[in-house]
Amino acid sequence: AAGVIQSPRHLIKEKRETATLKCYPIPRHDTVYWYQQGPGQDPQFLISFYEKMQSDKGSIPDRFSAQQFSDYHSELNMSSLELGDSALYFCASSSRTSGSRFSDTQYFGPGTRLTVL
Amino acid sequence: AQKVTQAQTEISVVEKEDVTLDCVYETRDTTYYLFWYKQPPSGELVFLIRRNSFDEQNEISGRYSWNFQKSTSSFNFTITASQVVDSAVYFCALSTGNQFYFGTGTSLTVIP
């Protein structure tokens, strides 16, 4: 079965540089989520999109932005990178039950490991 | 406010022992979902189970079993006859809508 695809898998950047992470959800999933997981931490919710519109916003810094495109893939853009941005970034996808505020189970991609030097 | 507590930070067991990972949650919502995810050393998050708040029936899947008790707001996970491949960080999560609230995870080490 198709899973969530994230690219790149590893990324090394210098401080103050920019980075773009890409996420391709499971086919027919309409909702995409982004999480940041620091070393030894639990995943922290950043932002989500439903049908290409921002759905929920978590602890996403102002230096970060994201969008979901017409083909449902999503990109997380990170600018003015800081050392503290070094983390594993997960994308997850799910499908929202019609008429419900609940989404189905979130299936996670393999993550992008970002290292900021 | 929603909160998930996994009080056990690290657990070590010898292979073939049974182990239970605890999860306690807080929410004022009457409808919610609970999840367990496994994060092996390779880093990916693997979905294990989803349970909705109206279904307190316990579930068994092979060596895995889950005990959901609304009275104590707990959703515990038991691995029977543990194996080295079970070594991972296990996260319990709560969803009351579209956001997930993760616990801090329990790192399980199974010693051969």
Side-chain angles (χ1 to χ4, degrees):
Chain A
V4 177
I5 297 171
Q6 290 188 247
S7 68
R9 294 293 307 277
H10 302 272
L11 190 58
I12 299 175
K13 290 285 185 179
E14 301 273 343
K15 276 171 51 177
R16 291 179 288 278
E17 285 191 324
T18 61
T20 298
L21 310 186
K22 295 185 179 182
C23 169
Y24 297 85
I26 292 172
R28 290 181 294 282
H29 279 193
D30 50 28
T31 309
V32 167
Y33 311 79
W34 286 98
Y35 291 84
Q36 177 192 59
Q37 186 179 25
Q41 313 256 320
D42 54 296
Q44 295 294 314
F45 171 72
L46 294 178
I47 196 168
S48 65
F49 292 87
Y50 168 65
E51 285 292 345
K52 293 153 278 185
M53 299 287 289
Q54 183 179 308
S55 174
D56 288 285
K57 197 170 182 180
S59 52
I60 185 169
D62 291 341
R63 300 177 288 107
F64 293 7
S65 65
Q67 57 182 321
Q68 186 179 30
F69 294 86
S70 58
D71 63 351
Y72 292 96
H73 94 272
S74 178
E75 294 183 4
L76 178 66
N77 298 295
M78 310 158 72
S79 62
S80 303
L81 286 169
E82 301 173 356
L83 295 178
D85 296 329
S86 295
L88 190 56
Y89 289 84
F90 284 107
C91 171
S93 75
S94 69
S95 59
R96 181 177 292 192
T97 305
S98 176
S100 168
R101 65 187 172 98
F102 283 94
S103 286
D104 204 341
T105 299
Q106 293 187 23
Y107 292 92
F108 286 78
T112 294
R113 188 169 295 283
L114 172 67
T115 302
V116 181
L117 302 175
Chain B
Q2 337 297 340
K3 186 179 178 182
V4 176
T5 301
Q6 294 180 254
Q8 305 150 307
T9 306
E10 296 180 3
I11 300 177
S12 292
V13 298
V14 177
E15 202 171 19
K16 295 193 178 71
E17 286 185 344
D18 299 346
V19 58
T20 295
L21 310 182
D22 298 333
C23 173
V24 174
Y25 62 92
E26 295 176 30
T27 180
R28 290 193 179 146
D29 285 44
T30 55
T31 304
Y32 51 89
Y33 287 84
L34 295 164
F35 301 80
W36 276 96
Y37 286 86
K38 173 182 179 181
Q39 188 171 41
S42 51
E44 72 271 24
L45 277 165
V46 179
F47 165 73
L48 295 179
I49 190 171
R50 158 182 146 134
R51 171 68 73 223
N52 76 55
S53 53
F54 298 108
D55 182 4
E56 287 193 71
Q57 189 172 5
N58 291 327
E59 181 155 341
I60 297 175
S61 175
R63 296 185 296 107
Y64 295 170
S65 62
W66 290 270
N67 182 6
F68 176 30
Q69 293 197 350
K70 284 181 78 169
S71 60
T72 55
S73 297
S74 65
F75 186 43
N76 296 337
F77 172 31
T78 297
I79 302 174
T80 304
S82 60
Q83 300 177 1
V84 173
V85 293
D86 296 327
S87 296
V89 179
Y90 291 85
F91 289 99
C92 180
L94 165 71
S95 173
T96 57
N98 292 311
Q99 278 205 36
F100 268 34
Y101 302 89
F102 281 88
T104 49
T106 297
S107 178
L108 172 66
T109 300
V110 180
I111 303 165

